[in-house]
Amino acid sequence: MFGFREFKGHFCKDNQLRLLINGEEFFPQLLRRIKHAKREILIETFILENDRVGNALKTALIGAAKRGVWVGVTADSWGSHFLNPEYIEELTAAGIVFQIYDPQPEWYNGRPKLFRRLHRKIAVIDATYGFIGGINLCNDHMITSGPEGKQDYSVELQGPIVNELRELCKSYVRDSNDDHLQEFSDKLKNPDRPGNTPMAFVSRDNRRNRSDIEKAYLAGIHEAKERVWIANAYFFPGYRFMRALRKAAKRGVDVRLVLQGDPDIPFALPMARALYDVLLRNGVKIYEYRDRPLHAKIAVIDDEWSTIGSSNLDPLSLAFNLEANIIVRDSQFNAQLAEQIEMLEHHSTEIESDWVKHRRWYYLVKDFFMYHSLRHFPTFAGLFPAHTPKIRELKSHFETGEGRTRDADLHRQYPESKNARRITSKQDYDTNAEIEAKEAEV
């Protein structure tokens, strides 16, 4: 059983954070920080689209680049597969470093591989402001976009924790360094101390940090005395996680799960429902949120521990994707998230134990085999050689350059950033080659 002693997250103090609900609060605040940026902008996202939100972001980023701000954007090739070339070319023409994570092979014109995606949603502005959560950079995270607008959450961070986000983002951009920070460089060693909230930044990759997010959850659940409330978009965790929830409920902890009742991905609901029987029999309360697609990745434990980030509780997030969460120890933020989970409950349908009894027998058989096959899926998939993901062009006609590794220690810390490639215009590519050739001659 995972315990606190197995959770390696380092808690740093003197932070503060602000909860941002849905795109209506998140996007204006992110754009506000970008428009006032002076030295550096780093962004990682799973989905970037050429829509109302994406175009507003593009305008803000180009404006920042014209002011002399160094800008680096990394988007996943699965989530951002339909981003058009003109959008990327406008960014790179302004001098922005634009990267695509692990695209399809050059001989294949379809969508790239589903597994081991860059699923993080992070932004860092001037090494001072950080954003982390589950909100992608697209219009369907706006409630005003219609019934398909996703319910989701993010936070804005200040304090020493921001530099930990920045180190991760920077490791995936070879051309990134600290030179452009100038007067901000002191903040990396002596960050502002705007608050007193302890936080730990936990990330997941397929090399060195394979289970840190899961360990953080399990450590918190293991120590829970009063409540474990989770609101998560995709719920199909492994046996250890399920056992931890059952044990917590049996010892009298109020365990509640708010899951999608109207999912944006059809198979999400039957996968989650395959677990309902065993959870309900052990006293876990389950709610299906049906107002709109639920995209949240939040949880509270007792009256202090809470988490928010990009990680779902399914095999893709817990065993394959690159994810990032923060763990927060603060009663006020805990209460804020608990209030949001209660709000979701009020707009949900509670699943009663009778619901399972009235299901036809073949559904129960299907659930049994689905659970016991899928819970071993990450183990079986891990037997196959793991490809080394590359940050490369989204479409084969883009020119790419590897860039220069400015911080070898940082890239050793995050091995999956080794084969980074940036999209570049032909002229920029030739110029970079000329510079490298001259340096080689010297």
Side-chain angles (χ1 to χ4, degrees):
M1 178 68 184
F2 288 127
F4 272 112
R5 61 185 176 275
E6 294 190 62
F7 172 50
K8 300 178 182 179
H10 167 69
F11 281 88
C12 59
K13 300 180 180 179
D14 303 317
N15 302 288
Q16 73 176 21
L17 75 170
R18 172 187 173 187
L19 180 64
L20 303 170
I21 303 171
N22 296 320
E24 278 76 6
E25 292 186 5
F26 171 73
F27 294 127
Q29 186 65 10
L30 175 63
L31 292 174
R32 189 176 300 115
R33 296 303 185 195
I34 291 173
K35 289 175 182 177
H36 289 90
K38 297 180 179 179
R39 296 297 176 197
E40 177 190 75
I41 297 169
L42 285 164
I43 292 176
E44 286 188 354
T45 187
F46 179 58
I47 299 175
L48 174 60
E49 290 187 359
N50 183 25
D51 55 19
R52 182 163 61 103
V53 167
N55 285 325
L57 177 70
K58 178 181 66 176
T59 300
L61 291 177
I62 291 174
K66 289 180 177 179
R67 297 195 307 270
V69 178
W70 189 94
V71 183
V73 178
T74 303
D76 183 77
S77 62
W78 172 271
S80 304
H81 178 71
F82 298 105
L83 186 64
N84 61 44
E86 291 77 18
Y87 186 102
I88 298 173
E89 288 166 359
E90 285 187 63
L91 294 176
T92 57
I96 294 170
V97 175
F98 190 94
Q99 300 184 139
I100 288 292
Y101 184 84
D102 196 26
Q104 71 272 31
E106 294 183 3
W107 53 266
Y108 177 59
N109 292 324
R111 212 167 184 183
K113 300 173 286 292
L114 173 61
F115 301 131
R116 298 184 174 91
R117 307 314 321 166
L118 176 73
H119 195 246
R120 301 189 293 250
K121 293 92 175 174
I122 301 176
V124 181
I125 315 297
D126 284 341
T128 304
Y129 303 101
F131 295 84
I132 187 171
I135 300 178
N136 288 296
L137 301 176
C138 55
N139 194 50
D140 68 358
H141 282 261
M142 301 282 286
I143 297 298
T144 54
S145 66
E148 297 304 313
K150 295 178 174 60
Q151 182 72 30
D152 208 347
Y153 304 89
S154 184
V155 287
E156 181 183 26
L157 307 171
Q158 289 180 260
I161 195 75
V162 174
N163 193 43
E164 296 189 34
L165 273 67
R166 180 178 181 269
E167 288 290 286
L168 177 64
C169 292
K170 192 177 76 164
S171 72
Y172 280 74
V173 186
R174 286 193 172 191
D175 296 273
S176 179
N177 58 60
D178 298 339
D179 296 343
H180 48 262
L181 291 180
Q182 297 181 14
E183 70 271 18
F184 287 88
S185 60
D186 288 340
K187 290 187 178 182
L188 301 178
K189 298 179 181 178
N190 304 293
D192 291 336
R193 302 179 182 277
N196 56 4
T197 303
M199 299 181 194
F201 176 59
V202 287
S203 62
R204 193 214 161 267
D205 58 42
N206 294 295
R207 295 294 186 268
R208 295 189 176 181
N209 306 293
R210 298 187 179 189
S211 58
D212 286 8
I213 294 176
E214 185 179 13
K215 286 180 179 178
Y217 265 103
L218 292 173
I221 295 170
H222 178 64
E223 297 293 328
K225 294 180 174 59
E226 297 177 3
R227 68 180 178 187
V228 175
W229 294 0
I230 297 172
N232 205 278
Y234 306 104
F235 185 83
F236 198 89
Y239 178 75
R240 282 189 298 250
F241 202 102
M242 291 285 290
R243 182 177 64 181
L245 291 178
R246 297 199 315 268
K247 284 189 172 183
K250 284 182 177 180
R251 64 176 185 265
V253 177
D254 179 13
V255 181
R256 305 183 191 181
L257 303 175
V258 181
L259 311 176
Q260 290 199 74
D262 182 22
D264 55 343
I265 298 178
F267 63 78
L269 189 57
M271 285 179 63
R273 284 181 170 176
L275 310 178
Y276 285 5
D277 183 25
V278 65
L279 291 171
L280 290 170
R281 281 192 283 108
N282 285 274
V284 176
K285 298 177 182 178
I286 302 174
Y287 302 84
E288 288 185 348
Y289 180 77
R290 292 177 177 165
D291 267 14
R292 58 184 64 251
L294 177 66
H295 201 254
K297 301 99 169 53
I298 59 177
V300 298
I301 297 176
D302 292 342
D303 60 357
E304 188 180 67
W305 189 103
S306 53
T307 188
I308 185 170
S310 67
S311 182
N312 295 302
L313 296 175
D314 67 352
L316 288 180
S317 283
L318 296 178
F320 292 106
N321 290 342
L322 278 62
E323 307 282 1
N325 276 38
I326 56 166
I327 311 300
V328 182
R329 290 192 170 280
D330 180 78
S331 58
Q332 184 177 355
F333 184 68
N334 177 287
Q336 281 185 288
L337 281 190
E339 183 180 351
Q340 290 300 312
I341 294 175
E342 285 185 318
M343 182 275 294
L344 295 174
E345 287 179 13
H346 293 324
H347 293 269
S348 302
T349 300
E350 183 173 3
I351 304 299
E352 305 286 351
S353 57
D354 289 343
W355 178 87
V356 176
K357 293 178 182 178
H358 289 107
R359 298 189 81 199
R360 296 185 181 275
W361 65 269
Y362 49 81
Y363 281 111
L364 299 178
V365 174
K366 181 206 70 174
D367 291 349
F368 175 83
F369 284 104
M370 179 185 290
Y371 175 68
H372 287 285
S373 59
L374 288 179
R375 78 181 182 90
H376 292 296
F377 174 69
T379 302
F380 293 141
L383 298 176
F384 295 92
H387 69 284
T388 301
K390 295 181 180 179
I391 300 175
R392 204 170 55 187
E393 69 276 19
L394 178 62
K395 301 291 185 183
S396 59
H397 65 264
F398 280 117
E399 294 287 350
T400 63
E402 291 186 356
R404 299 176 59 197
T405 300
R406 306 298 182 97
D407 192 332
D409 291 337
L410 192 59
H411 286 280
R412 280 193 291 269
Q413 183 180 350
Y414 297 101
E416 286 185 286
S417 67
K418 279 186 176 179
N419 291 314
R421 290 181 180 271
R422 56 173 289 190
I423 292 176
T424 179
S425 67
K426 191 68 170 71
Q427 183 60 43
D428 288 340
Y429 184 84
D430 291 340
T431 302
N432 288 339
E434 291 172 5
I435 293 173
E436 291 174 3
K438 289 180 181 178
E439 290 179 346
E441 292 176 1
V442 175

